[in-house]
């Protein structure tokens, strides 16, 4: 049997990882400034994380959500404390797309409406509702296009207002920082106006923090810099440091009813053990603060390099735009310098390293990048 051929693959197979480095099957060591799509939050193979997962799988790895699982409540307590949302409820699932699906469903249940406002360049996932609010027709099947979605420009509050005043909008969904679009941060005033507009018109505000959350921006959630409190917050990626887990933070305005949401694997024992370990390390090693500090250091060092036209983002979620003649720099860094970076639209380089990255590791990247831009 062949694998279904949907991925463009580099001829590299990582087989071991530690901290901010991975090694391939030929023994080559790579510096990881991408973290597997922002998934590696506390560093590869962190000893506390490894022990927590090993200890848990020896006890029980899975049972269904028809029985009690105290690990779920432990995770909720720690997440509430560290995120600043102890008064919200937690629904656990398996991925970011699933978190967004459930957020959209809750918004529609609550309002009795079904149209959703999303933003140009948005990426929210590949399942039916999530891909419908993603502005990429190439990955939308006809089945997905039946949802009622309106795309508007980012930071254009008047465009949002015009749609909301039509009276049929269930929700607005927005990323804390738009990642796949090329690392674009919503303006603070826009987010504040958006939150107020939604509240005044009984429209649910969904903050997709799947890539920008869990400390990546230098705050637990990227939207917190604007001082707003969304109705729903979706999470995944850095939540499990590689173990599949997603989550949805739900404000008190939503009433829980038996069966309204559900999942087979969501919140299983092994996933909870991984997610608890992540929160333990984030707190013990001050990794959210490190993301802020290292992000500032990265931006300062990058600002002094010729060939870069713009640096966007916050913390360790940065986008670098280059002059057109340096379009091949990512591949050169990978194959010549053995440094993983990410891409986005318009040939933007995305930097999404583990939050544990050090100045010394950043300096290696800066040195190699300067060499490739000569």
């Amino acid at each position: 049997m062949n694998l279904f051929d949907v991925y463009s693959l580099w001829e590299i197979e990582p087989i071991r990882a530690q901290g901010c480095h991975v090694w391939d099957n030929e023994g080559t060591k790579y510096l990881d400034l991408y973290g597997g799509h922002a998934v590696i939050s506390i560093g590869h193979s962190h000893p506390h994380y490894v022990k927590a997962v090993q200890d848990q799988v020896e006890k029980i790895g899975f049972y269904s959500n028809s029985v009690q699982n105290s690990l779920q409540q432990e995770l909720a307590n720690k997440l509430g404390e560290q995120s600043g949302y102890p008064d919200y409820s937690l629904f656990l699932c398996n991925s970011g797309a699933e978190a967004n699906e459930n957020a959209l469903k809750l918004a529609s249940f609550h309002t009795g409406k079904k149209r959703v406002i999303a933003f140009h360049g948005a990426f929210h996932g590949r399942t039916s509702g999530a891909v419908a609010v993603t502005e990429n027709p190439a990955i939308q099947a006809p089945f997905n296009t039946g949802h009622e979605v309106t795309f508007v420009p980012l930071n254009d509050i008047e465009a949002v207002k015009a749609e909301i005043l039509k009276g049929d909008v269930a929700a607005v969904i927005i990323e804390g920082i738009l990642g796949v679009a090329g690392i674009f941060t919503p303006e603070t005033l826009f987010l504040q106006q958006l939150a107020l507009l939604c509240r005044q018109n009984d429209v649910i505000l969904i903050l997709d923090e799947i890539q920008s959350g869990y400390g990546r921006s230098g705050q637990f959630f990227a939207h917190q810099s604007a001082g707003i409190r969304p109705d729903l917050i979706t999470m995944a990626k850095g939540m499990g440091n590689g173990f599949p887990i997603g989550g949805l933070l739900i404000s008190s305005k939503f009433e829980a009813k038996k069966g309204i949401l559900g999942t087979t694997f969501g919140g299983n024992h092994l996933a909870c053990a991984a997610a608890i370990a992540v929160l333990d390390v984030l707190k013990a090693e001050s990794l959210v603060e490190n993301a802020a500090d290292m992000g500032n250091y990265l931006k300062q060092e990058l600002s002094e390099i010729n060939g870069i036209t713009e640096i966007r983002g916050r913390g360790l979620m940065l986008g670098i735009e280059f002059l057109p003649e340096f379009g091949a720099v990512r591949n050169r860094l990978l194959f010549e310098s053995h440094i993983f970076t990410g891409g986005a639209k318009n040939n933007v380089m995305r930097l999404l390293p583990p939050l544990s990255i050090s100045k010394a590791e950043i300096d290696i990247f800066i040195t190699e990048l300067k060499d490739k831009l000569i």
Side-chain angles (χ1 to χ4, degrees):
M1 179 184 291
N2 292 324
L3 296 172
F4 196 51
D5 189 11
V6 294
Y7 298 115
S8 297
L9 301 177
W10 281 310
E11 292 294 322
I12 298 170
E13 183 182 0
I15 60 170
R16 183 168 67 89
Q18 184 71 50
C20 292
H21 293 90
V22 297
W23 287 259
D24 69 15
N25 56 354
E26 296 180 349
T28 303
K29 180 181 179 181
Y30 296 80
L31 178 61
D32 185 7
L33 269 74
Y34 194 49
H37 303 301
V39 166
I40 302 301
S41 49
I42 61 172
H44 294 280
S45 306
H46 192 286
H48 178 71
Y49 173 87
V50 171
K51 187 176 188 304
V53 173
Q54 287 176 337
D55 288 350
Q56 185 58 51
V57 78
E58 287 181 353
K59 299 173 186 175
I60 180 172
F62 172 83
Y63 208 76
S64 78
N65 281 307
S66 61
V67 296
Q68 295 184 28
N69 178 355
S70 60
L71 291 173
Q72 294 182 353
Q73 189 60 56
E74 181 183 352
L75 173 56
N77 291 342
K78 290 185 174 183
L79 179 55
E81 173 203 346
Q82 292 186 45
S83 69
Y85 284 96
D87 53 329
Y88 279 45
S89 299
L90 173 65
F91 176 76
L92 291 166
C93 53
N94 307 286
S95 69
E98 189 180 348
N100 281 334
E101 292 284 345
N102 283 293
L104 293 165
K105 182 189 288 187
L106 271 184
S108 186
F109 270 131
H110 180 80
T111 62
K113 301 171 183 177
K114 58 183 179 180
R115 189 160 70 99
V116 177
I117 295 174
F119 294 88
H120 292 314
F123 185 92
H124 297 289
R126 293 176 181 269
T127 52
S128 188
V131 80
V133 294
T134 292
E135 195 188 39
N136 185 353
I139 62 172
Q140 294 174 342
F143 173 72
N144 307 130
T145 58
H147 299 276
E148 295 184 18
V149 180
T150 303
F151 291 95
V152 298
L154 182 66
N155 296 321
D156 188 341
I157 195 63
E158 291 303 320
V160 180
K161 184 177 181 179
E163 295 301 328
I164 284 180
L165 292 181
K166 294 177 182 178
D168 63 341
V169 174
V172 176
I173 185 167
I174 185 170
E175 294 162 82
I177 299 174
L178 278 68
V180 174
I183 310 295
F184 291 96
T185 303
E187 295 172 358
T188 294
L189 179 59
F190 173 74
L191 284 178
Q192 293 169 344
Q193 293 173 326
L194 180 62
L196 178 61
L197 185 62
C198 287
R199 186 164 61 250
Q200 289 174 336
N201 291 275
D202 194 28
V203 171
I204 301 304
L205 178 57
I206 303 170
L207 244 299
D208 178 339
E209 293 278 7
I210 290 160
Q211 186 173 138
S212 56
Y214 259 72
R216 182 147 297 280
S217 69
Q219 293 178 277
F220 198 91
F221 292 124
H223 71 264
Q224 290 173 311
S225 64
I228 65 168
R229 289 174 68 83
D231 301 303
L232 299 167
I233 304 165
T234 57
M235 312 164 293
K237 293 193 183 295
M239 190 175 182
N241 202 52
F243 197 98
I245 185 172
L248 174 61
L249 292 185
I250 304 167
S251 75
S252 59
K253 72 167 54 177
F254 295 90
E255 180 184 358
K257 298 179 181 178
K258 303 298 183 185
I260 193 173
L261 302 179
T263 172
T264 296
F265 296 106
N268 66 75
H269 298 75
L270 208 48
C272 285
I276 290 168
V278 167
L279 290 172
D280 288 345
V281 174
L282 285 177
K283 183 176 182 179
E285 299 184 8
S286 301
L287 293 188
V288 179
E289 293 81 359
N290 190 65
D293 292 341
M294 293 302 100
N296 289 335
Y297 180 67
L298 245 176
K299 290 179 84 170
Q300 176 58 41
E301 294 298 303
L302 288 167
S303 70
E304 299 174 3
I305 299 177
N306 293 326
I308 294 175
T309 59
E310 189 174 3
I311 305 162
R312 298 190 291 269
R314 293 204 311 270
L316 293 176
M317 185 172 180
L318 299 181
I320 309 171
E321 196 164 315
F322 297 93
L323 291 171
E325 58 262 38
F326 298 119
V329 68
R330 282 188 60 230
N331 280 348
R332 290 193 65 198
L333 282 171
L334 180 58
F335 293 107
E336 297 174 22
S337 303
H338 304 130
I339 298 175
F340 277 104
T341 61
K345 290 182 180 177
N346 301 318
N347 295 315
V348 171
M349 179 189 289
R350 265 192 294 174
L351 299 183
L352 302 161
L355 308 187
S356 56
I357 196 168
S358 66
K359 278 188 177 181
E361 289 162 331
I362 289 173
D363 287 342
I364 293 170
F365 166 69
I366 294 295
T367 298
E368 293 298 322
L369 180 60
K370 287 179 178 178
D371 178 68
K372 301 300 177 288
L373 297 180
I374 293 175

